[in-house]
Amino acid sequence: MTAGAMAAEAARLAERAAEVAICLDFDGTIAPIVEDPAAARPLAGVVDLLGPLADRYAAVALVSGRPATYLASHAAAPGVRYLGMYGLEEIVSGRVQVDQRLEAARPAVEAARRDLAVDPAVTASGAHLEDKRYAVAVHTRRVADPGRWAGPIDAAATRVAAANDLEVVPGRLVWELRPQVRSDKGDAVRRVVAESGARHLLVAGDDLGDLPAFAVAEALGGGLRVAVRSDEAPAELLDAADLVVDGPQGARELLEHLLG
């Protein structure tokens, strides 16, 4: 889609801003992908746009597999909702509300983290473990030859998850082990829409985990499914999108257009 078409789509939504909820992924969407997950930060200028957007639109929410506290700490803006762990966490009145099923599973997540820390595939590859409190992720982005280790890491993640009654959610160069508590980005954005009274949804993301949110936007109609393109963006996401933008820079440009 051309820059002119992007501007036209943004103008269309801006005309009915009070009826539109904006739900944004974090990593790869408003924040560039980096080798160290703890170092991820929003692209310069993006956070400054969020508050004004929240003033104008029915809702603005960051929806991510990240902990809600991480989102709120690094993308703080007035009026924005922060839904972490695919909606199982949210910052409400300055405090984290957590699905109690996650809290009950914390010992299992901690056991999985310990098991992964000594697993031969993890130690030999140099894969990075990210402690998300209610989940643990194995990253191979910093591994010298991630393709070589994809099979062994996948097997280790599957084995450790099964031993601790967790599920494995694979992504780009990452395997996340988390409690088997049903929630995905579709559930999260559906809640944002319902609670805000929005009739349409703009959702932006860069990975397969964003497809359930795309499905909600399609079912509502009149919104916009935005895929954020990178060298690693899955074809399924790009094919499902109404609009494809180039990296977080493209996402920032779209947010600018939404403000007019």
Side-chain angles (χ1 to χ4, degrees), residues 40-118:
R41 299 292 185 272
L43 187 70
V46 169
V47 175
D48 294 335
L49 300 171
L50 299 181
L53 286 165
D55 282 341
R56 186 177 303 184
Y57 286 79
V60 173
L62 297 188
V63 182
S64 170
R66 293 269 193 179
T69 51
Y70 191 96
L71 303 175
S73 296
H74 300 299
V80 177
R81 296 181 65 170
Y82 302 94
L83 284 76
M85 299 299 295
Y86 308 97
L88 293 171
E89 287 186 348
E90 183 171 4
I91 304 292
V92 178
S93 299
R95 303 187 66 176
V96 183
Q97 287 189 354
V98 182
D99 188 301
Q100 290 305 303
R101 295 171 295 174
L102 283 188
E103 195 65 51
R106 275 189 62 197
V109 172
E110 177 58 23
R113 187 195 63 76
R114 292 194 299 267
D115 291 346
L116 288 168
V118 297

Side-chain angles (χ1 to χ4, degrees), residues 235-249:
E236 298 95 320
L237 187 80
L238 299 177
D239 291 343
D242 302 307
L243 170 66
V244 177
V245 301
D246 289 323
Q249 295 88 346

Side-chain angles (χ1 to χ4, degrees), residues 16-237:
R16 57 179 76 176
E19 300 178 348
V20 178
I22 299 172
C23 293
L24 308 169
D25 178 40
F26 186 81
D27 294 282
T29 298
I30 66 166
I33 295 292
V34 293
E35 290 188 354
D36 180 1
R41 299 292 185 272
L43 187 70
V46 169
V47 175
D48 294 335
L49 300 171
L50 299 181
L53 286 165
D55 282 341
R56 186 177 303 184
Y57 286 79
V60 173
L62 297 188
V63 182
S64 170
R66 293 269 193 179
T69 51
Y70 191 96
L71 303 175
S73 296
H74 300 299
V80 177
R81 296 181 65 170
Y82 302 94
L83 284 76
M85 299 299 295
Y86 308 97
L88 293 171
E89 287 186 348
E90 183 171 4
I91 304 292
V92 178
S93 299
R95 303 187 66 176
V96 183
Q97 287 189 354
V98 182
D99 188 301
Q100 290 305 303
R101 295 171 295 174
L102 283 188
E103 195 65 51
R106 275 189 62 197
V109 172
E110 177 58 23
R113 187 195 63 76
R114 292 194 299 267
D115 291 346
L116 288 168
V118 297
D119 187 276
V122 174
T123 57
S125 66
H128 171 69
L129 294 184
E130 180 187 5
D131 184 354
K132 295 187 171 184
R133 186 175 175 85
Y134 299 107
V136 59
V138 189
H139 294 269
T140 57
R141 188 170 297 278
R142 290 187 285 181
V143 170
D145 186 358
R148 171 192 171 193
W149 290 102
I153 293 293
D154 182 73
T158 300
R159 181 174 61 254
V160 170
N164 293 283
D165 196 27
L166 302 174
E167 67 174 344
V168 180
V169 181
R172 296 179 308 184
L173 303 178
V174 61
W175 290 257
E176 182 172 305
L177 283 67
R178 68 185 195 191
Q180 299 188 54
V181 177
R182 176 72 178 87
S183 186
D184 59 28
K185 288 188 178 181
D187 299 314
V189 303
R190 195 177 290 111
R191 189 167 88 237
V192 172
V193 168
E195 293 175 357
S196 68
R199 298 178 59 189
H200 311 289
L201 175 64
L202 181 156
V203 60
D206 74 317
D207 207 349
L208 294 175
D210 298 292
L211 286 174
F214 274 27
V216 175
E218 181 180 25
L220 285 172
L224 195 65
R225 298 166 294 175
V226 182
V228 182
R229 179 163 40 207
S230 71
D231 292 340
E232 302 170 356
E236 298 95 320
L237 187 80

